Amino acid sequence: MHDPRISVILGDITTVAADAIANAANTSLLGGGGVDGAIHRAAGPELLAECRTLHGCETGKAKITKGYHLPAKYVLHTPGPIWRGGGQGEAALLAGCYRSCLELALSHGCRTVAFPSISTGVYHFPLELASAIAVKTVADVLREHPEDFDWVCFVCFDPHTKSAYDRALASAP
Ligand code: APR
Protein backbone atom coordinates (compact mmCIF):
# COMPACT_ATOMS: atom_id res chain seq x y z
CA MET A 1 0.00 0.00 0.00
CA HIS A 2 1.55 3.32 -1.02
CA ASP A 3 1.92 6.35 1.25
CA PRO A 4 -1.55 7.98 1.46
CA ARG A 5 0.11 11.41 1.29
CA ILE A 6 1.01 10.81 -2.38
CA SER A 7 -1.60 11.31 -5.12
CA VAL A 8 -1.94 11.69 -8.87
CA ILE A 9 -4.31 14.18 -10.51
CA LEU A 10 -5.12 15.28 -14.06
CA GLY A 11 -4.80 19.03 -14.47
CA ASP A 12 -2.81 22.21 -14.96
CA ILE A 13 -0.16 22.71 -12.27
CA THR A 14 -0.44 26.51 -12.53
CA THR A 15 -3.87 26.24 -10.88
CA VAL A 16 -2.74 24.08 -7.92
CA ALA A 17 -2.71 25.91 -4.58
CA ALA A 18 0.15 23.90 -3.08
CA ASP A 19 2.74 25.57 -0.84
CA ALA A 20 5.20 24.85 -3.68
CA ILE A 21 4.94 23.67 -7.26
CA ALA A 22 7.90 22.25 -9.15
CA ASN A 23 8.84 23.57 -12.57
CA ALA A 24 10.43 21.37 -15.24
CA ALA A 25 12.94 24.04 -16.14
CA ASN A 26 16.16 24.15 -18.14
CA THR A 27 19.58 24.93 -16.72
CA SER A 28 19.35 28.62 -17.66
CA LEU A 29 16.20 29.04 -15.51
CA LEU A 30 15.18 31.74 -18.01
CA GLY A 31 11.91 30.09 -19.09
CA GLY A 32 10.92 28.00 -22.05
CA GLY A 33 7.92 26.15 -23.42
CA GLY A 34 5.86 23.37 -21.89
CA VAL A 35 5.15 23.59 -18.20
CA ASP A 36 8.03 26.08 -17.80
CA GLY A 37 6.27 28.46 -20.16
CA ALA A 38 2.91 27.93 -18.49
CA ILE A 39 4.31 28.63 -15.03
CA HIS A 40 6.07 31.80 -16.17
CA ARG A 41 2.94 33.04 -17.95
CA ALA A 42 0.76 32.41 -14.89
CA ALA A 43 3.26 33.81 -12.37
CA GLY A 44 3.95 36.98 -14.32
CA PRO A 45 7.18 38.79 -15.25
CA GLU A 46 8.47 39.09 -11.69
CA LEU A 47 9.19 35.35 -11.78
CA LEU A 48 11.68 35.74 -14.63
CA ALA A 49 13.19 38.77 -12.89
CA GLU A 50 13.86 36.67 -9.78
CA CYS A 51 15.11 33.74 -11.89
CA ARG A 52 17.68 36.04 -13.48
CA THR A 53 19.24 36.54 -10.04
CA LEU A 54 19.77 32.78 -9.61
CA HIS A 55 22.35 32.36 -12.42
CA GLY A 56 21.01 29.00 -13.61
CA CYS A 57 20.76 25.58 -12.00
CA GLU A 58 22.50 22.25 -12.58
CA THR A 59 20.50 19.32 -13.94
CA GLY A 60 19.13 17.25 -11.06
CA LYS A 61 19.32 20.14 -8.59
CA ALA A 62 16.67 22.75 -7.69
CA LYS A 63 16.39 26.44 -6.85
CA ILE A 64 13.42 28.18 -5.23
CA THR A 65 11.61 31.41 -6.04
CA LYS A 66 8.37 33.04 -4.94
CA GLY A 67 5.20 32.14 -6.82
CA TYR A 68 4.03 35.72 -7.52
CA HIS A 69 0.60 35.53 -9.26
CA LEU A 70 0.44 31.75 -9.00
CA PRO A 71 -1.77 30.27 -6.25
CA ALA A 72 1.36 28.47 -5.00
CA LYS A 73 3.62 30.36 -2.57
CA TYR A 74 6.84 29.04 -4.11
CA VAL A 75 8.18 27.59 -7.35
CA LEU A 76 10.87 24.89 -7.20
CA HIS A 77 12.81 25.17 -10.46
CA THR A 78 14.52 21.92 -11.40
CA PRO A 79 16.18 21.07 -14.73
CA GLY A 80 15.47 17.43 -15.53
CA PRO A 81 17.86 15.30 -17.59
CA ILE A 82 17.52 15.14 -21.37
CA TRP A 83 17.07 11.46 -22.32
CA ARG A 84 20.18 10.28 -24.20
CA GLY A 85 19.47 6.57 -24.21
CA GLY A 86 19.81 5.86 -20.48
CA GLY A 87 23.57 5.45 -20.25
CA GLN A 88 24.39 8.99 -19.09
CA GLY A 89 23.07 8.76 -15.53
CA GLU A 90 19.64 10.05 -16.53
CA ALA A 91 17.78 7.95 -13.93
CA ALA A 92 19.88 9.23 -11.03
CA LEU A 93 19.62 12.81 -12.26
CA LEU A 94 15.82 12.57 -12.50
CA ALA A 95 15.64 11.14 -8.98
CA GLY A 96 17.82 14.06 -7.92
CA CYS A 97 15.24 16.52 -9.28
CA TYR A 98 12.50 15.12 -7.03
CA ARG A 99 14.75 14.77 -4.00
CA SER A 100 16.27 18.27 -4.39
CA CYS A 101 12.80 19.82 -4.75
CA LEU A 102 11.46 18.12 -1.62
CA GLU A 103 14.55 19.01 0.43
CA LEU A 104 14.24 22.65 -0.69
CA ALA A 105 10.51 22.59 0.09
CA LEU A 106 11.29 21.22 3.55
CA SER A 107 13.83 23.96 4.27
CA HIS A 108 11.18 26.56 3.39
CA GLY A 109 8.46 25.02 5.55
CA CYS A 110 6.36 23.82 2.60
CA ARG A 111 4.03 20.99 3.62
CA THR A 112 2.24 20.53 0.29
CA VAL A 113 4.08 20.10 -3.01
CA ALA A 114 2.93 19.49 -6.59
CA PHE A 115 5.11 18.07 -9.37
CA PRO A 116 4.67 17.98 -13.13
CA SER A 117 5.99 14.95 -15.01
CA ILE A 118 9.60 16.14 -15.20
CA SER A 119 11.60 15.37 -18.36
CA THR A 120 8.86 13.37 -20.14
CA GLY A 121 7.98 16.14 -22.61
CA VAL A 122 10.59 17.95 -24.67
CA TYR A 123 13.34 16.04 -22.84
CA HIS A 124 11.92 12.69 -24.07
CA PHE A 125 12.55 10.68 -20.91
CA PRO A 126 10.50 7.45 -21.30
CA LEU A 127 7.28 7.92 -19.36
CA GLU A 128 7.03 4.48 -17.69
CA LEU A 129 10.57 4.72 -16.31
CA ALA A 130 10.24 8.41 -15.35
CA SER A 131 7.00 7.85 -13.44
CA ALA A 132 8.50 4.88 -11.55
CA ILE A 133 11.55 6.96 -10.58
CA ALA A 134 9.37 9.92 -9.59
CA VAL A 135 7.01 7.91 -7.38
CA LYS A 136 9.82 5.90 -5.77
CA THR A 137 11.90 8.98 -4.98
CA VAL A 138 8.97 10.90 -3.50
CA ALA A 139 7.94 7.86 -1.45
CA ASP A 140 11.52 7.45 -0.17
CA VAL A 141 11.80 11.10 0.91
CA LEU A 142 8.39 11.06 2.59
CA ARG A 143 9.39 7.90 4.46
CA GLU A 144 12.52 9.73 5.67
CA HIS A 145 10.33 12.65 6.82
CA PRO A 146 7.14 11.11 8.26
CA GLU A 147 6.09 14.35 9.99
CA ASP A 148 7.10 16.97 7.46
CA PHE A 149 4.67 16.81 4.54
CA ASP A 150 0.87 16.80 4.35
CA TRP A 151 0.67 15.80 0.69
CA VAL A 152 2.67 15.55 -2.52
CA CYS A 153 0.80 15.24 -5.81
CA PHE A 154 1.77 14.55 -9.39
CA VAL A 155 -0.19 16.87 -11.68
CA CYS A 156 -0.49 15.18 -15.07
CA PHE A 157 -1.45 17.28 -18.09
CA ASP A 158 -2.94 14.44 -20.15
CA PRO A 159 -4.62 11.08 -19.48
CA HIS A 160 -1.75 9.05 -20.95
CA THR A 161 0.68 10.60 -18.49
CA LYS A 162 -1.79 10.20 -15.63
CA SER A 163 -2.26 6.47 -16.31
CA ALA A 164 1.52 5.96 -16.10
CA TYR A 165 1.71 7.72 -12.72
CA ASP A 166 -1.38 5.85 -11.49
CA ARG A 167 0.35 2.56 -12.41
CA ALA A 168 3.57 3.63 -10.73
CA LEU A 169 1.71 4.60 -7.56
CA ALA A 170 -0.38 1.40 -7.55
CA SER A 171 2.76 -0.73 -7.71
CA ALA A 172 4.67 1.31 -5.09
CA PRO A 173 5.53 -0.80 -2.01
N1 APR B 1 0.63 21.61 -15.96
C1 APR B 1 1.14 20.36 -15.72
N2 APR B 1 1.92 19.71 -16.61
C2 APR B 1 2.18 20.34 -17.79
C3 APR B 1 1.69 21.63 -18.10
C4 APR B 1 0.88 22.26 -17.13
N3 APR B 1 0.38 23.49 -17.32
N4 APR B 1 2.14 21.97 -19.36
C5 APR B 1 2.86 20.92 -19.81
N5 APR B 1 2.88 19.93 -18.87
C6 APR B 1 3.49 18.60 -18.93
C7 APR B 1 3.82 18.05 -20.29
O1 APR B 1 2.64 17.60 -20.95
C8 APR B 1 4.75 16.92 -19.88
O2 APR B 1 3.97 15.81 -19.47
O3 APR B 1 4.74 18.66 -18.28
C9 APR B 1 5.49 17.50 -18.66
C10 APR B 1 6.92 17.91 -18.90
O4 APR B 1 7.05 18.39 -20.24
P1 APR B 1 7.94 19.70 -20.60
O5 APR B 1 7.24 20.89 -20.10
O6 APR B 1 8.26 19.59 -22.06
O7 APR B 1 9.26 19.53 -19.72
P2 APR B 1 10.57 18.64 -19.95
O8 APR B 1 10.30 17.40 -20.76
O9 APR B 1 11.14 18.48 -18.58
O10 APR B 1 11.49 19.59 -20.84
C11 APR B 1 12.02 20.73 -20.23
O11 APR B 1 11.24 22.16 -21.98
O12 APR B 1 9.85 23.93 -21.69
C12 APR B 1 11.15 23.58 -21.82
O13 APR B 1 12.35 25.25 -20.60
C13 APR B 1 11.97 23.89 -20.60
O14 APR B 1 14.02 23.44 -21.71
C14 APR B 1 13.10 22.94 -20.77
C15 APR B 1 12.42 21.70 -21.33
Side-chain angles (χ1 to χ4, degrees):
M1 182 57 197
H2 67 77
D3 187 321
R5 295 175 291 171
I6 304 174
S7 62
V8 179
I9 64 168
L10 185 66
D12 173 349
I13 200 166
T14 65
T15 69
V16 174
D19 290 340
I21 63 168
N23 177 25
N26 59 59
T27 52
S28 75
L29 295 190
L30 299 179
V35 69
D36 194 4
I39 286 172
H40 275 272
R41 273 192 302 281
E46 296 155 295
L47 178 60
L48 181 57
E50 185 176 357
C51 283
R52 287 193 199 290
T53 69
L54 300 178
H55 306 300
C57 183
E58 273 176 68
T59 297
K61 304 280 189 226
K63 289 191 178 178
I64 193 166
T65 66
K66 292 194 285 291
Y68 299 103
H69 297 296
L70 286 163
K73 279 200 268 306
Y74 295 102
V75 181
L76 303 160
H77 303 266
T78 186
I82 296 170
W83 181 255
R84 301 183 195 285
Q88 317 270 324
E90 295 96 322
L93 285 166
L94 185 61
C97 289
Y98 290 96
R99 182 170 284 275
S100 302
C101 284
L102 289 175
E103 286 168 356
L104 206 46
L106 203 53
S107 61
H108 284 73
C110 300
R111 297 192 58 84
T112 58
V113 181
F115 285 102
S117 177
I118 299 168
S119 281
T120 65
V122 161
Y123 281 180
H124 297 300
F125 202 113
L127 179 56
E128 288 304 310
L129 179 57
S131 55
I133 291 166
V135 167
K136 179 177 182 334
T137 308
V138 168
D140 288 351
V141 176
L142 262 55
R143 202 174 309 115
E144 294 157 21
H145 299 277
E147 306 300 324
D148 294 313
F149 292 99
D150 293 333
W151 52 258
V152 176
C153 79
F154 294 100
V155 184
C156 302
F157 206 47
D158 60 81
H160 175 62
T161 299
K162 180 172 184 304
S163 62
Y165 280 79
D166 284 337
R167 276 196 301 281
L169 194 53
S171 53

